[in-house]
Amino acid sequence: MSAPDAYNDPSHHEDVQEQLFRELFREYEHRLYVFIMKILRSDATAKDILQDVFLKLWTIRHQLPEIENINAFLYKLTENRVYDHLRAAATRKNHRQKLWDQLQSAVNGEEDKLEKKEFHSIIRDAIRNLPPQRRAVYLLNKDEGLKQKEIAEKLQLSPNTVRNHLAEAIRQIGTYVKKNISTFLSILP
């Protein structure tokens, strides 16, 4: 085989491209690693990005002879990979923060529901602990919306007795709630 035929041989081009790639790898591996480490300060991430850079370089190895400033090209390629990594990390962080916020909102919503449910349960217990006639007066007023005069007529009591029962029911319920809500709040985290 003559010299011109060897030069035109496709396997010869592959050998030259592979050799050029190896030389670039040896010359730039450490320099690019240091460059990435200065920015990211993570050995594993620097190695991953370096691998991506050289994988990209391998995929375009047939274009290497056409690149005028390989130094600038490699640093720009590395810089772009670092920016890609930082953008992806920021997106992941924002996504994690949104998920965390949604989780906290759901948990807080559930805690609020539980607190309201517990508060209503305490009020119901307070009402159940009222003497029967006082409880009846209170429920007719609060649940059925009857006025004191209507309650007095319905239960055949004097309006003053109804007013006294309502005032005493509100005082007793308030005392019961204060006593029991502090116990409930003390067990919350």
Side-chain angles (χ1 to χ4, degrees):
M1 193 183 284
S2 66
D5 288 337
Y7 182 74
N8 291 328
D9 181 13
S11 64
H12 174 70
H13 287 299
E14 285 295 317
D15 292 342
V16 170
Q17 292 168 358
E18 199 171 311
Q19 181 60 34
L20 181 56
F21 177 83
R22 276 194 215 111
E23 289 173 17
L24 289 171
F25 182 81
R26 276 192 294 272
E27 183 177 344
Y28 284 95
E29 177 189 24
H30 182 70
R31 291 165 43 185
L32 293 175
Y33 172 82
V34 170
F35 174 70
I36 299 167
M37 281 296 290
K38 284 181 181 177
I39 299 168
L40 299 179
R41 302 187 193 293
S42 167
D43 177 63
T45 305
K47 287 178 179 175
D48 287 346
I49 290 173
L50 193 61
Q51 183 177 8
D52 286 348
V53 167
F54 282 105
L55 182 61
K56 174 67 174 174
L57 193 62
W58 176 255
T59 61
I60 63 163
R61 67 189 177 279
H62 62 280
Q63 298 172 349
L64 290 178
E66 299 165 16
I67 299 172
E68 290 181 27
N69 185 343
I70 193 70
N71 185 57
F73 176 81
L74 283 173
Y75 274 93
K76 189 61 175 174
L77 183 60
T78 303
E79 182 180 28
N80 288 340
R81 290 293 193 252
V82 168
Y83 287 146
D84 290 346
H85 170 77
L86 291 173
R87 273 192 296 275
T91 300
R92 285 190 304 272
K93 182 179 178 185
N94 288 339
H95 184 67
R96 278 194 308 267
Q97 186 62 48
K98 283 181 185 176
L99 288 175
W100 177 253
D101 291 345
Q102 289 172 349
L103 178 63
Q104 289 303 316
S105 177
V107 167
N108 289 339
E110 287 302 312
E111 286 176 359
D112 289 346
K113 286 180 189 176
L114 288 174
E115 288 173 15
K116 286 178 185 175
K117 189 175 180 181
E118 184 64 26
F119 183 72
H120 289 296
S121 174
I122 291 170
I123 290 175
R124 281 193 304 277
D125 289 345
I127 294 168
R128 272 194 294 271
N129 285 332
L130 293 172
Q133 193 169 32
R134 191 168 292 153
R135 181 175 52 244
V137 168
Y138 180 82
L139 291 174
L140 286 171
N141 179 258
K142 299 302 179 188
D143 287 353
E144 296 184 29
L146 298 180
K147 300 205 182 306
Q148 291 180 14
K149 185 178 178 185
E150 295 170 318
I151 296 169
E153 290 172 6
K154 185 169 185 160
L155 295 179
Q156 298 178 351
L157 299 171
S158 75
N160 283 342
T161 302
V162 169
R163 184 176 48 248
N164 290 342
H165 274 310
L166 277 175
E168 191 58 28
I170 291 169
R171 187 195 65 72
Q172 282 182 311
I173 291 170
T175 301
Y176 186 90
V177 168
K178 283 179 190 173
K179 176 183 170 197
N180 289 283
I181 202 72
S182 62
T183 303
F184 170 69
L185 292 176
S186 69
I187 62 171
L188 289 178

